[in-house]
Amino acid sequence: MSNERTPLITTGVCGLTVCGGSGEDMTPESSSGTGTASRDPRKLNTFFGVMVPTILSMFSIVLFLRTGFVVGHAGLLQGLLMLGVAYTIISLTILSICAISTNGAIQGGGAYFMISRSLGPEFGGSIGLMFFLAKVCACGVYVLGLVEAILDVFGLDPESSVSEGARVLPQGYWYTVLYSSIVLLLCLVVCLVGAHIYARTAFVILLVVTASLLSIFISPLAVKPRDFIITHHGPGNQTYRYNVSYTGFNATTLRNNLGSGYSLDYSTNSVMSFATVFAVMFTSCTGIMAGANMSGELRTPSVSIPKGTIIAVCYTFTVYVLLFFLVSATCDRTLLIQDYGFFQRINIWPPFVTIGIYCASLSAAMSSMIGASRILHALALDQLFGLPLAPAATKSNSGNPWVAVLYTWGLAQCVVFAGQLNAIAGLVTVFYLLAYAAVDLACLALEWASAPNFRPTFQVFSWHTCLLGIVSCLVMMFVINPVYSSASIVLLLLLLLFLHYRVPTSSWGYISQALIFHQVRKYLLMLDVRKDHVKFWRPQVLLMVANPRSSCQLILFVNQLKKGGLYVLGHVQLGDLDALPSDPVQQQYNFWLSLVDKLGVKAFVDLTLSHSVRQGTQHLLRITGLGGMKPNTLVLGFYDSCTPEDYFLQDTAFCESSLGNDTDGEYNFGVDLPSLQAHFPPVRHVESPRWLSPEEYVGIISDAIKMNKNVCLGRYFFQLEGEDKDSKIDGSERTIDVWPLNLLSPGTRDDVDVCSLFLLQMACVLNMSNRWRQARMRIFLNVETESSDQGWVVNEETFRELLRKLRIRASIKIVPWDSVVQHHNRPEEESSAKPMESLSEDFLSAVNCLLTENSSQAAVRFLYLPRPPAQASQRQQYLAQLEAVTNSLGPTLLIHGVTPVTCTDL
């Protein structure tokens, strides 16, 4: 158990790992792999680890091969609008990424790690898997784009079967798949070497891409206007020829390119629209997490991720805006639409562009493969998907997850069978938008939870930006492709359900718990006890439990009585805190909560330390609950000399044989089944000392009534069957018997008082619960039929009318008890003069026989509990009377109500 000597930092801050606990507290990154401290995989700084891969991923193929496609179809104005929308969406997401990444230590897994540690394993695992698939698809897109660029230069002319110069590569669907596979194999080799090698190589690639960009910006100043003829091979062996022009900087060209001109796309033979063009253009924005996905290799991820990502995004946005204006002012629309690689035609030295395309596409493909493999590796370490991903947790000595890289390569190989870049661009964009929405949701949840430990050093965000980011992502998903969007959300929900039922409780911390706390506190403040009304009364129960081994059946039964109200299991530990080094109660909560989980009841637990059981019960009655949710009913087990049975030996859930059925690796809060069994002492036997005297027990009942609490005493509930969660009993064979009159005071004229109505209400509540809904309820009215006063007939009709107004469905049984009353021969006036009358054994035996004769087959009986005597000397006699009346009856609940609980008005 943690104390003031427990190390404060156990996982790491800003990439620094400080381990002060046992091996169980180690993070997956620190506990897996065989590397030593000298082989620390965290080697990359902000520039090499974040800026370079992010810039290259965001340039990729769109920069060189799809800039003209976007401007040609959408025009300059709509193209800038698309660019503004796309960068607004990713900027909002970047704010969330920066906030989460600066709020603590970031391990490997990037976006997956952020989401899973914020929203929990179910949401994090499902989004992480979808983000992995998005990265895999993006890798395929970049490879297909690279192959497209290669074929533009080296592919055979569709009109000729003879090689001409450098055009030696045959074209066609299967050839495209073959070339893509070769490129993927090259990416695989580089990624297997390690991310740090790629990061160094990426810097050289960035220099090459920058040189290519400079050549594009300089070319309009050096290249004169020219005309071209572009040919495309159409369906049915048709050949289409287009006369296109490069005009250089020209105001007329710029004016003609301002508006949109959506037409047929020659690669897919489909008419383009705002949504399809935006889907292709948005693939340039899917690289914002390239740096975050390298979090496991960064020296200080909480510093590098926000700084490097923001700089990279600003740089790429500036380049794209300048490039959009450049092509709009220099190239006519037909050239932009009909030739993806037009930059090569208008460059001062075409190989500059060719090399830039190859380097940018190859780098983006490798970045996606590395990022996807890191996400998959993190998923495998967390064991969310079991055996299928288990091998992906393997790492090399240098920390490279080579098996995850192989997984990623295999799936990317399947993606290239699509054959065309534009064909899968929409799917990739939808997956990325969903992942970005999840990051925004994670940040929004942390902000709304108002947890004191959420204090990121990056402060330029609010819940407004998070919410706007979520809405923007979801809206654009459906604008791009409603079918893909709907399918991705359905897949996300299926993964959520799968992980919810499969994944055990984790130790990461759940944002849902913080949000629930925040909302519950708010609503508890709104729950004003001064506004309570009898119409909305419900039982709020405090059940005192001495030993759960003998009380499980009563715990399960009371769970059916709560009717959506508060249910608290209370226990008093005898002791003096002054004589103890620490509070022993605090260490017991996990055992009691595990018991609640095993029994499947919806109950809270409240424990206290006291000198006596009576004083401890008073404490719990006063302090249990909060605001308007405080117990109004106390339930006690009956005080008798019966030897209780051990429920733990009867229920299979508490048997050792059920250990094999538990989920492997389940996080059980430190309480396994043997520990749970060992914590609770064996059941009491005949010679065991009693920690509670009869006088003290009756005193507890008296105290509760003085505190205006209703009281229920449960006897023989160890005989009740069918209350456990695996029971198949539907209640149709059960009977609930109710005796609403005070059987120990036959001279009482007030047939129905507050206590009787409370008793009826509790029986009705039980009859409304799931396991007792089909049970029959019988109400017994005991009358003196031989009396000269025949008022009992009127009383019966009055009682029937009362049941009708209270909407209680029950059959009424009239029970003559003249033979019982004759043993009760004390004068009426004497009875009312004394606080408690001494009842003869014959009378008590006759009452017990009456109950046995009429209710022997009932599943449970509800009896009227008389008020306990005020004098302490009479308490033992009071308890003896109750014991005699209920002797050998079976499950019985004696009830004394003090608060009005029924209402006949609307």
Side-chain angles (χ1 to χ4, degrees):
M1 186 175 179
S2 62
N3 53 42
E4 67 272 13
R5 297 182 182 275
T6 303
L8 297 179
I9 302 176
T10 58
T11 54
V13 175
C14 300
L16 176 65
T17 302
V18 183
C19 240
S22 63
E24 295 176 354
D25 294 328
M26 295 174 67
T27 60
E29 287 293 326
S30 62
S31 61
S32 61
T34 58
T36 63
S38 61
R39 296 173 182 164
D40 184 9
R42 296 184 177 274
K43 303 175 181 178
L44 303 180
N45 58 18
T46 301
F47 182 77
F48 287 105
V50 181
M51 286 182 59
V52 171
T54 302
I55 291 173
L56 289 176
S57 295
M58 296 188 72
F59 279 162
S60 64
I61 57 171
V62 175
L63 180 70
F64 295 106
L65 293 181
R66 289 300 183 269
T67 300
F69 168 83
V70 173
V71 176
H73 284 288
L76 176 61
L77 297 181
Q78 287 195 20
L80 292 175
L81 175 63
M82 290 181 184
L83 197 66
V85 171
Y87 270 80
T88 298
I89 291 175
I90 65 171
S91 297
L92 294 172
T93 304
I94 287 170
L95 297 181
S96 300
I97 293 173
C98 294
I100 296 176
S101 63
T102 59
N103 189 52
I106 301 293
Q107 303 299 325
Y112 160 70
F113 186 89
M114 297 179 192
I115 298 170
S116 62
R117 268 45 176 191
S118 299
L119 299 182
E122 295 95 340
F123 209 96
S126 54
I127 285 292
L129 185 61
M130 296 193 70
F131 193 45
F132 163 74
L133 295 176
K135 279 285 182 185
V136 170
C137 292
C139 180
V141 166
Y142 300 142
V143 169
L144 288 172
L146 176 57
V147 170
E148 181 183 299
I150 293 173
L151 292 178
D152 279 345
V153 177
F154 301 105
L156 283 174
D157 191 330
E159 293 185 341
S160 174
S161 59
V162 181
S163 301
E164 297 179 2
R167 291 184 171 272
V168 296
L169 296 178
Q171 300 193 51
Y173 170 77
W174 288 109
Y175 282 109
T176 300
V177 173
L178 174 63
Y179 304 148
S180 301
S181 302
I182 295 173
V183 173
L184 268 178
L185 194 60
L186 175 62
C187 295
L188 173 66
V189 172
V190 175
C191 294
L192 286 176
V193 173
H196 60 285
I197 300 297
Y198 160 73
R200 267 50 178 186
T201 307
F203 175 63
V204 177
I205 294 175
L206 180 61
L207 293 178
V208 174
V209 172
T210 303
S212 300
L213 274 173
L214 289 175
S215 73
I216 290 175
F217 285 116
I218 294 173
S219 293
L221 301 176
V223 177
K224 296 179 180 180
R226 60 183 65 175
D227 296 328
F228 309 101
I229 296 177
I230 298 175
T231 60
H232 290 308
H233 187 66
N237 293 325
Q238 295 180 352
T239 301
Y240 299 99
R241 295 177 182 273
Y242 301 93
N243 294 317
V244 297
S245 301
Y246 164 71
T247 64
F249 286 108
N250 188 292
T252 303
T253 303
L254 178 62
R255 188 164 49 251
N256 292 337
N257 286 331
L258 287 178
S260 62
Y262 296 108
S263 59
L264 194 72
D265 173 32
Y266 71 83
S267 67
T268 60
N269 289 320
S270 58
V271 178
M272 294 292 97
S273 64
F274 182 92
T276 53
V277 173
F278 180 82
V280 173
M281 196 277 301
F282 194 83
T283 56
S284 67
C285 303
T286 55
I288 60 171
M289 290 189 181
N293 292 332
M294 303 283 286
S295 58
E297 282 82 16
L298 297 174
R299 287 199 200 110
T300 54
S302 59
V303 174
S304 299
I305 291 175
K307 182 179 178 181
T309 304
I310 291 174
I311 295 174
V313 168
C314 293
Y315 174 69
T316 56
F317 178 74
T318 303
V319 170
Y320 273 118
V321 170
L322 294 176
L323 211 54
F324 274 30
F325 275 103
L326 176 70
V327 299
S328 297
T330 59
C331 304
D332 70 5
R333 187 182 300 274
T334 307
L335 173 60
L336 298 178
I337 292 177
Q338 299 301 332
D339 187 6
Y340 294 154
F342 73 97
F343 277 132
Q344 300 173 54
R345 297 179 182 268
I346 64 174
N347 200 272
I348 52 176
W349 190 53
F352 263 139
V353 178
T354 303
I355 295 172
I357 293 173
Y358 296 168
C359 289
S361 301
L362 190 62
S363 171
M366 288 189 292
S367 175
S368 295
M369 183 174 287
I370 289 178
S373 64
R374 269 49 181 179
I375 295 171
L376 185 66
H377 177 64
L379 283 167
L381 287 177
D382 290 335
Q383 302 177 355
L384 298 183
F385 292 94
L387 289 178
L389 297 187
T394 306
K395 292 201 300 187
S396 65
N397 290 339
S398 61
N400 187 29
W402 61 274
V403 178
V405 173
L406 290 176
Y407 269 66
T408 306
W409 169 77
L411 291 175
Q413 182 65 58
C414 298
V415 173
V416 300
F417 281 97
Q420 287 293 339
L421 183 156
N422 290 2
I424 57 175
L427 180 63
V428 174
T429 302
V430 166
F431 275 171
Y432 271 108
L433 283 171
L434 192 60
Y436 293 165
V439 173
D440 289 322
L441 178 62
C443 190
L444 177 67
L446 289 169
E447 178 70 7
W448 273 355
S450 301
N453 282 323
F454 182 62
R455 44 180 185 270
T457 55
F458 183 86
Q459 293 290 328
V460 189
F461 79 101
S462 70
W463 69 267
H464 304 85
T465 61
C466 301
L467 186 59
L468 184 59
I470 295 171
V471 173
S472 302
C473 290
L474 295 178
V475 168
M476 290 313 302
M477 280 173 56
F478 283 93
V479 168
I480 291 169
N481 194 310
V483 176
Y484 286 165
S485 301
S486 302
S488 63
I489 292 175
V490 169
L491 176 61
L492 174 64
L493 294 176
L494 291 176
L495 290 172
L496 276 171
L497 290 174
F498 170 77
L499 291 176
H500 177 73
Y501 288 107
R502 185 203 173 277
V503 177
T505 305
S506 76
S507 59
W508 303 342
Y510 288 79
I511 189 64
S512 59
Q513 294 296 303
L515 290 171
I516 290 170
F517 177 90
H518 187 267
Q519 292 300 107
V520 167
R521 182 196 64 85
K522 182 171 70 175
Y523 286 117
L524 274 175
L525 290 171
M526 297 170 61
L527 189 60
D528 193 340
V529 294
R530 297 169 296 182
K531 298 178 182 178
D532 281 348
H533 194 279
V534 66
K535 287 191 298 185
F536 308 111
W537 180 92
R538 66 182 72 235
Q540 305 204 84
V541 181
L542 171 64
L543 171 62
M544 298 302 299
V545 180
N547 188 348
R549 287 181 175 272
S550 58
S551 307
C552 286
Q553 292 287 20
L554 182 58
I555 294 173
L556 292 169
F557 176 76
V558 176
N559 188 56
Q560 303 291 325
L561 276 178
K562 66 181 185 302
K563 189 55 180 176
L566 180 69
Y567 182 22
V568 181
L569 301 184
H571 175 74
V572 179
Q573 174 81 27
L574 296 180
D576 185 1
L577 191 59
D578 290 338
L580 298 170
S582 63
D583 185 5
V585 165
Q586 299 303 319
Q587 302 172 9
Q588 298 183 28
Y589 271 97
N590 273 0
F591 293 98
W592 283 84
L593 292 172
S594 297
L595 172 73
V596 168
D597 293 338
K598 282 287 185 184
L599 293 175
V601 297
K602 297 177 181 178
F604 299 94
V605 172
D606 211 349
L607 313 177
T608 188
L609 183 72
S610 181
H611 298 286
S612 67
V613 176
R614 181 178 180 182
Q615 187 183 53
T617 305
Q618 288 179 10
H619 293 167
L620 292 177
L621 281 173
R622 292 184 187 279
I623 66 175
T624 296
L626 196 64
M629 295 193 68
K630 296 183 74 69
N632 56 30
T633 302
L634 174 67
V635 181
L636 303 170
F638 198 80
Y639 189 98
D640 57 20
S641 57
C642 293
T643 302
E645 298 183 17
D646 192 340
Y647 183 81
F648 283 13
L649 301 178
Q650 302 174 13
D651 193 334
T652 55
F654 293 93
C655 296
E656 293 286 348
S657 59
S658 67
L659 280 172
N661 299 327
D662 291 344
T663 305
D664 293 338
E666 180 175 354
Y667 189 78
N668 51 23
F669 301 100
V671 181
D672 54 12
L673 189 55
S675 301
L676 183 66
Q677 292 174 326
H679 175 74
F680 297 109
V683 296
R684 172 177 52 83
H685 53 83
V686 179
E687 298 179 357
S688 299
R690 303 294 290 265
W691 300 105
L692 186 66
S693 66
E695 292 80 9
E696 192 177 5
Y697 177 81
V698 178
I700 292 174
I701 301 173
S702 180
D703 294 340
I705 294 174
K706 290 178 183 178
M707 298 168 70
N708 205 36
K709 308 292 184 184
N710 309 296
V711 178
C712 301
L713 308 181
R715 190 178 190 189
Y716 293 123
F717 274 91
F718 62 87
Q719 299 176 6
L720 184 64
E721 298 179 353
E723 288 301 296
D724 56 285
K725 56 185 176 182
D726 297 325
S727 174
K728 304 298 182 182
I729 297 178
D730 61 357
S732 57
E733 303 298 323
R734 287 175 163 181
T735 303
I736 303 171
D737 284 358
V738 183
W739 298 77
L741 304 183
N742 189 349
L743 298 178
L744 298 185
S745 297
T748 304
R749 293 301 182 190
D750 297 327
D751 292 329
V752 178
D753 56 9
V754 170
C755 184
S756 300
L757 291 176
F758 181 82
L759 191 146
L760 287 171
Q761 180 81 328
M762 294 299 286
C764 185
V765 167
L766 179 65
N767 202 195
M768 295 168 69
S769 63
N770 291 332
R771 295 185 182 273
W772 294 83
R773 187 163 291 157
Q774 304 298 324
R776 294 176 292 111
M777 186 161 67
R778 302 186 300 176
I779 299 176
F780 292 88
L781 295 180
N782 24 320
V783 300
E784 297 180 46
T785 56
E786 298 177 4
S787 172
S788 57
D789 182 8
Q790 294 297 313
W792 66 268
V793 178
V794 178
N795 289 342
E796 179 191 351
E797 291 302 320
T798 304
F799 197 83
R800 290 184 185 276
E801 180 65 16
L802 176 65
L803 292 184
R804 186 186 65 79
K805 290 181 178 180
L806 295 177
R807 290 89 61 203
I808 296 177
R809 292 177 297 175
S811 59
I812 297 179
K813 304 292 183 182
I814 303 300
V815 181
W817 72 327
D818 302 84
S819 59
V820 176
V821 174
Q822 69 182 1
H823 296 289
H824 185 272
N825 51 15
R826 296 184 66 82
E828 190 175 320
E829 60 272 13
E830 226 177 286
S831 170
S832 59
K834 287 202 171 188
M836 176 179 175
E837 46 187 321
S838 178
L839 303 175
S840 65
E841 291 186 7
D842 292 339
F843 174 74
L844 297 174
S845 177
V847 172
N848 178 255
C849 291
L850 178 72
L851 292 170
T852 304
E853 180 182 346
N854 289 278
S855 293
S856 59
Q857 301 302 317
V860 66
R861 300 144 195 85
F862 285 72
L863 303 184
Y864 188 112
L865 176 66
R867 193 179 189 94
Q871 288 82 3
S873 59
Q874 295 180 326
R875 288 174 178 170
Q876 194 160 0
Q877 178 188 351
Y878 169 81
L879 189 58
Q881 293 175 359
L882 298 180
E883 184 175 5
V885 167
T886 57
N887 185 43
S888 303
L889 276 186
T892 303
L893 201 65
L894 295 111
I895 299 176
H896 186 91
V898 295
T899 57
V901 294
T902 57
C903 181
T904 59
D905 299 330
L906 284 177

